[in-house]
Each structure stands twice: as structure tokens, then as C-alpha cells.
Amino acid sequence: ILITLVVYKLILIGIGLWASRRVNNEADFLVGGRGLGAVVAGMSYAASTSSAWALLGFSGFVFSVGLSALWMLPGIWGGYVIMWVWFGPRIREESSRNDWVTPTEFLTANVDARAAKRIAALAALLIAFCFVFYIAAQLAAAAQAFVTNFQMNLNSSIVIGASIILIYCLLGGFWAASVTDTLQGFVMIIAALLVSTLAVVEAGGPTQIFDTLWQTESTFTDWSGGFSGFLLLGLVFGLSGVGIGTFGQPHLLARLMAVKGDRERHHGFLIALTWSVLIYVGMVWLALAARSLALTPDSTEQIFYILAEQLLPPILAGIVVAAILSAVMSTVDALLLAASAAVSHDLDLALSLIHI
């Protein structure tokens, strides 16, 4: 497992070195020179929006509450559609025409200088402040993978994960983050489908899984979660509302600003949505299989690790651990770039508007 991870990390750093040759100005570093193709745009977007919580948190949530957790999926997939089909064309076209490199410039474009200064400063501070906690949560998930598999110290694990991400981000900026996210997206989908398929086979197949759950877990298989009336509406709209958060994420908007053209945007959307459907459907089946097998993890977020360890040989288990780290890194690198853009570009924008 350790050898697999070391090789994987060296590949990521190699991508950073390659990408560093393509960075010549601020636009290259922050939006990849607006040259992302369909595969890189779609895969990097999907991997960035579906971080460790997709493999660990979502599977653990379904394992805990049952089929009612699936009301989350319409919101998640609807978020993809609205971002790429509705917001995407205008964001890409206007940012390209006006040479904008951050979503904040899009927000401040049609307001007076005084209001634009305040918006830019507030946006930069909010992004930098909020992303501290977001990044911390992702690094904690990565550290848990090291602790679980290698019995390492938590703090040391966080330092190792953060150091690797910083190296390739600083080397190649948006290009490095996007290409590594694409690679990580492929690793995630392979691991997710592999582990979930083996789990379903181990549990006796879909029919056996549902027969077991219906006999022993009647509430677990209830789409309403045991609620009715306004409580049921609250459950449905509350879980579906998870997708609303997608619209304001600057690191996701940056992918739409960076895509090369409309053709690449259309194809990138199909790639991203297909990836997301496969990942989440796979995690649903993994959670159902784990529940029918009566797993008793210390934490529900460990079921992905547990099943991978039980069902896979060490080399493939290493790929699964790499998938978890991929999920983390694909979000952290995008968050770091968005935060750096907020501090270096948007705050500078706010200061420059003071003199207007």
C-alpha cells in the first residue's frame, strides 16, 4: 500500500513540474490560460465538487439512515445541470471577453466603484476565512486515511498531505490542479466502482441485499425515513438543498471560466455528470451492501476502508487509499487556488478601486 502511494505522489509532483512550464502570467496560474479541454474541465470539476465526503461521508450517511438519504441526489445532480447549462455559457463568455480571472470580477463588473470595492474586499475575506475550515476538514479526512492504514500520528499525516498538495500547486497553479484533479477523478471512479461491485457480490447480489434489508431493517428501506407531512417535506427539500451550495463555490466557477469553448463546455458537462452519477450510485450500493452484511464500524465513514481491506489484495487496497487521498487533494488544491486568487487578486482589485 505504501509503495503504491509513494508512486502516486511522485506522479502528482511530476505533473506539477510539467505544468510549471505552461505558466507565464496570472491568467495561466489562476484559470489555466482559459485552455481547458472537455475531459480536463469535466473531470476536474467533478472531482473538485465531490470530495472525500462523496466516498466517505455520503456512503456513511446512506449506511446510517437508509434510502431516505437518496433525496440528496436530485439536488447534487441538479446543481451540475444548472451550473453547466444555465450559468456556464454566460460566465465563460463574459470572463473570456473581459479577461476576468476570478468570479469576484464577474460580481463587481456592473456596479459603481465604491460598491465594487466593498464587494471585492468582502468576497476576498469571506473566501479566505471560510476556506480555512473547508481545507482543514479535507486534510483531516486525508490524515484519517494515513492513520487508519499506517497507524501514523494525526498531525504528521496532515503535514505530509498538505506538503504534497502545496508543492504541485505552487509549481503549476491551475494547470497542475486541473490535470492532477483529472487523474484523481479517474482513480476515484475506478476505486468506487471496484469496491462497490465487490461489496454487492459479497452480499449476494442486489436481490439478496434488499431481501435482507426488508426483513431486518424496515425503516431503513423507507424512502420517507419514517416521516410524513411537513417533516417529510423538510427532509426532501433539506437534503435536495445540498446542491444549492454548488452555485457559489469560486473554485467550481473557475472551471467554467477556464474551459476553452462552448463545444468543450457541452462535452465537459456530460463527462462531469456521468462521473457524478457513477460515483454516487456506486456509493449507494456500497452502503446498502455494507448494511446487509451487518458491518459494525467505529465510524460510519469507515465502511469504504473496511470493505476495501476485506475484499481487495494489498496493491488494490493501496489504490483505494489513493482514491481517498485523491478525493481530498482534488478539493484542497482547488480551494487553495481560489483562496490565493481571493487574497492576491481580489484584495488588490479592492485596493485599486479605492483610487477610482
Side-chain angles (χ1 to χ4, degrees):
I1 294 176
L2 184 60
I3 291 172
T4 305
L5 286 175
V6 169
V7 172
Y8 179 71
K9 301 308 174 190
L10 290 175
I11 291 173
L12 296 183
I13 294 173
I15 291 174
L17 289 169
W18 165 83
S20 66
R21 301 175 183 176
R22 306 190 64 165
V23 178
N24 301 305
N25 52 49
E26 185 183 49
D28 289 340
F29 190 84
L30 295 181
V31 289
R34 309 183 200 282
L36 265 61
V39 175
V40 174
M43 290 294 289
S44 64
Y45 177 96
S48 295
T49 191
S50 300
S51 55
W53 83 274
L55 298 181
L56 304 181
F58 180 72
S59 60
F61 186 50
V62 177
F63 179 85
S64 299
V65 306
L67 293 183
S68 61
L70 271 59
W71 289 113
M72 191 180 291
L73 296 179
I76 293 172
W77 294 333
Y80 277 70
V81 174
I82 293 173
M83 280 288 283
W84 284 83
V85 176
W86 186 20
F87 289 155
R90 183 179 175 187
I91 291 173
R92 195 207 66 80
E93 193 274 329
E94 291 193 19
S95 63
S96 177
R97 185 177 68 245
N98 296 289
D99 291 326
W100 295 333
V101 295
T102 67
T104 301
E105 290 184 298
F106 185 88
L107 293 175
T108 58
N110 297 314
V111 297
D112 63 82
R114 186 175 180 181
K117 177 190 70 176
R118 294 176 177 175
I119 292 171
L122 180 60
L125 293 173
L126 283 173
I127 290 170
F129 176 76
C130 294
F131 276 13
V132 167
F133 303 99
Y134 200 164
I135 291 169
Q138 294 298 313
L139 291 177
Q144 187 60 48
F146 282 106
V147 171
T148 301
N149 290 277
F150 307 116
Q151 290 72 52
M152 291 178 61
N153 176 270
L154 183 64
N155 293 334
S156 299
S157 302
I158 290 175
V159 170
I160 292 173
S163 298
I164 294 169
I165 297 169
L166 282 172
I167 289 171
Y168 71 75
C169 270
L170 289 173
L171 284 171
F174 195 86
W175 269 115
S178 297
V179 175
T180 54
D181 287 355
T182 300
L183 171 63
Q184 290 159 2
F186 281 114
V187 173
M188 289 170 66
I189 195 71
I190 291 170
L193 294 179
L194 178 62
V195 177
S196 60
T197 300
L198 291 176
V200 170
V201 172
E202 180 70 14
T207 302
Q208 181 61 46
I209 289 173
F210 277 105
D211 285 345
T212 301
L213 294 176
W214 277 324
Q215 292 172 13
T216 60
E217 308 260 9
S218 57
T219 304
F220 187 85
T221 56
D222 184 355
W223 287 87
S224 69
F227 297 105
S228 60
F230 285 110
L231 290 177
L232 177 58
L233 288 176
L235 173 73
V236 172
F237 286 109
L239 292 179
S240 297
V242 169
I244 295 174
T246 303
F247 309 146
Q249 302 270 1
H251 60 293
L252 302 181
L253 292 170
R255 258 63 183 187
L256 297 175
M257 296 173 70
V259 69
K260 186 182 298 183
D262 278 334
R263 180 174 178 273
E264 288 79 8
R265 180 180 57 79
H266 285 299
H267 292 168
F269 163 64
L270 295 175
I271 291 169
L273 185 61
T274 301
W275 185 95
S276 179
V277 169
L278 291 175
I279 280 283
Y280 286 102
V281 170
M283 290 304 95
V284 169
W285 279 110
L286 181 137
L288 297 178
R291 188 76 179 214
S292 70
L293 291 169
L295 290 188
T296 55
D298 295 331
S299 168
T300 57
E301 293 184 349
Q302 293 180 350
I303 62 171
F304 193 85
Y305 290 129
I306 293 172
L307 289 172
E309 184 179 340
Q310 290 180 356
L311 302 175
L312 295 173
I315 187 68
L316 293 180
I319 294 175
V320 168
V321 175
I324 300 298
L325 298 179
S326 297
V328 173
M329 290 182 171
S330 61
T331 300
V332 172
D333 57 20
L335 296 177
L336 285 173
L337 284 171
S340 68
V343 173
S344 65
H345 185 87
D346 294 342
L347 279 181
D348 183 64
L349 174 65
L351 292 174
S352 66
L353 289 171
I354 292 176
H355 305 293
I356 297 178

